[in-house]
Amino acid sequence: MKKTALIFILFTFLLNSCADNSSQKETPKTDENPTNSFGLVIHGGAGTILKKNLTPELEIQYKETLEKAAKKGYEILKNGGTSLDAVEQTIHILENSPLFNAGKGAVFANNGKNELDASIMDGKTLNAGAIAGVTNLKNPISAARKVMENSEHVLLARKGAEEFAVTQGLETVDTSYFYTEKRYNSLLKAKNKDIKDKAAYIDPYINNYKYGTVGCVALDKNGNLAAGTSTGGMTNKKWSRIGDSPIIGAGTYANNNTCAVSGTGHGEYFIRAAVAHDISALMEYKGLSLQEASKEVVQNKLKKMGGSGGIIAIDHKGNLVAEFNTAGMYRAMVDENGAVTVGIYQE
């Protein structure tokens, strides 16, 4: 009898041990990144950006602002800050500059107003927030983050988004804050040209066409990815047109298992191709590297559809990518060592 009881106790012990091992295997991964690497990439728009069309002084201004923004994000990450904080604060610098088509430098719609869009995504939780068509928010990216963190929704638009932002204590400005003479002259030029009643991408700093938007992607020391995008849309856009920037999966996407992506280009194509998510999906389902997936989507899929533009991306290992199929893209990268690389043209 004692022998039988001993066998039963031993069997029970082994059974519990197997159950414990099975439970351990199913435990989700922690947020810690074993390599402790971090990094950040930003963009300020892509299009026909040619050296002959930029004065040396203007080129310096672009490079200095891009570097300033990249360093801001780097300092946050270096000091243990989150990727979400790095993305938001970096984009603030670009939104506050009249050089870029976001915030202060936003282009004018056909109705003579500046209509702003933005989105942000957390790669850890896959939570996201976005706003569209707002006219009085100084930093739209912050409103997008508030939507993500303090509402049950993902995308809020126009007056509703503005009212929500006020309840969150965000800074509002008079619409005159967004007025810049060069952007307004671009609207007049686009209206006079009236290319088959379509919105034009004319930019005062770039001859021919330009797709403007700003964005940032980051990986923090805890292994968490984030992506954000902010824009004024396209010059002379009509009927409250919304592009890809506030559309999760099109202009913005982040997933800790793969990468974080922010896009800039002809938004209608980015929406139809689900560009940002497609890059992540190619990594997750086909095992492509970040560079391979980015090249496939931007240089092959997007171009075959007739779309132009570019993306910035960073993966969960800290690899950095800036891929574009236009003549140029304002961009800057900073790795964990603090080395900043700034680019404008096809190099």
Side-chain angles (χ1 to χ4, degrees):
M1 185 71 179
K2 291 182 179 179
K3 188 174 182 180
T4 303
L6 182 61
I7 292 173
F8 177 79
I9 292 171
L10 180 61
F11 175 78
T12 302
F13 174 78
L14 291 173
L15 186 63
N16 288 336
S17 297
C18 291
D20 288 344
N21 289 337
S22 175
S23 175
Q24 289 172 3
K25 289 179 182 178
E26 294 175 2
T27 301
K29 294 180 181 178
T30 66
D31 295 329
E32 294 302 317
N33 182 357
T35 62
N36 204 39
S37 63
F38 62 97
L40 176 140
V41 192
I42 63 176
H43 72 73
T48 306
I49 307 172
L50 304 175
K51 193 173 183 65
K52 65 180 182 180
N53 296 329
L54 286 182
T55 66
E57 294 78 16
L58 192 55
E59 183 176 313
I60 290 173
Q61 290 179 39
Y62 271 111
K63 288 183 176 180
E64 287 180 345
T65 306
L66 288 167
E67 184 173 357
K68 177 183 178 182
K71 287 183 175 180
K72 175 67 174 181
Y74 171 78
E75 287 302 317
I76 293 172
L77 297 173
K78 179 183 177 182
N79 294 324
T82 67
S83 54
L84 284 169
D85 286 343
V87 166
E88 181 182 12
Q89 295 301 315
T90 298
I91 290 179
H92 275 187
I93 293 177
L94 302 176
E95 287 179 332
N96 294 342
S97 169
L99 292 174
F100 303 99
N101 178 17
K104 175 64 177 175
V107 299
F108 285 83
N110 178 263
N111 61 8
K113 296 181 180 180
N114 308 97
E115 300 177 352
L116 315 175
D117 310 326
S119 65
I120 195 167
M121 186 166 185
D122 181 358
K124 175 183 175 182
T125 62
L126 300 186
N127 199 5
I131 53 97
V134 298
T135 60
N136 67 349
L137 302 184
K138 182 179 181 182
N139 293 112
I141 191 65
S142 291
R145 185 171 180 181
K146 291 295 186 182
V147 172
M148 177 180 72
E149 296 178 340
N150 297 336
S151 85
E152 65 270 38
H153 305 299
V154 171
L155 174 60
L156 298 180
R158 300 177 68 77
K159 289 298 181 183
E162 294 171 356
E163 291 173 5
F164 171 79
V166 170
T167 69
Q168 299 301 304
L170 296 182
E171 183 176 0
T172 59
V173 293
D174 186 83
T175 54
S176 61
Y177 167 82
F178 301 106
Y179 178 87
T180 57
E181 186 177 359
K182 290 182 181 295
R183 297 295 194 195
Y184 189 70
N185 287 338
S186 293
L187 172 63
L188 298 180
K189 183 177 180 181
K191 282 188 171 183
N192 289 334
K193 198 166 186 178
D194 196 22
I195 308 173
K196 296 181 180 178
D197 199 37
K198 292 182 179 179
Y201 301 89
I202 300 166
D203 184 271
Y205 305 124
I206 302 164
N207 190 23
N208 203 343
Y209 298 100
K210 188 253 187 180
Y211 311 95
T213 291
V214 305
C216 177
V217 295
L219 171 70
D220 63 32
K221 288 185 176 182
N222 288 324
N224 293 319
L225 292 164
T229 312
S230 182
T231 188
M234 61 171 68
T235 300
N236 200 31
K237 62 184 179 183
K238 301 178 179 67
W239 308 298
S240 298
R241 174 263 188 188
I242 304 297
D244 64 302
S245 295
I247 306 300
I248 302 303
T252 303
Y253 192 75
N255 185 330
N256 275 9
N257 293 324
T258 53
C259 62
V261 181
S262 174
T264 172
H266 194 157
E268 279 68 18
Y269 290 94
F270 275 65
I271 294 172
R272 289 162 55 196
V275 165
H277 181 268
D278 208 31
I279 292 171
S280 172
L282 286 173
M283 295 178 65
E284 185 172 6
Y285 304 137
K286 294 192 69 174
L288 270 61
S289 68
L290 178 65
Q291 186 168 5
E292 291 170 339
S294 299
K295 185 175 181 179
E296 172 63 26
V297 173
V298 175
Q299 304 296 350
N300 294 327
K301 181 179 180 179
L302 193 59
K303 287 179 71 173
K304 287 179 181 178
M305 293 176 65
S308 58
I311 61 94
I312 54 170
I314 184 170
D315 67 15
H316 60 292
K317 297 179 181 178
N319 295 307
L320 312 174
V321 164
E323 189 75 41
F324 52 100
N325 60 30
T326 54
M329 181 170 73
Y330 298 111
R331 61 199 185 276
M333 298 181 175
V334 56
D335 61 23
E336 61 192 68
N337 299 314
V340 179
T341 303
V342 178
I344 297 179
Y345 317 106
Q346 277 279 11
E347 298 165 336

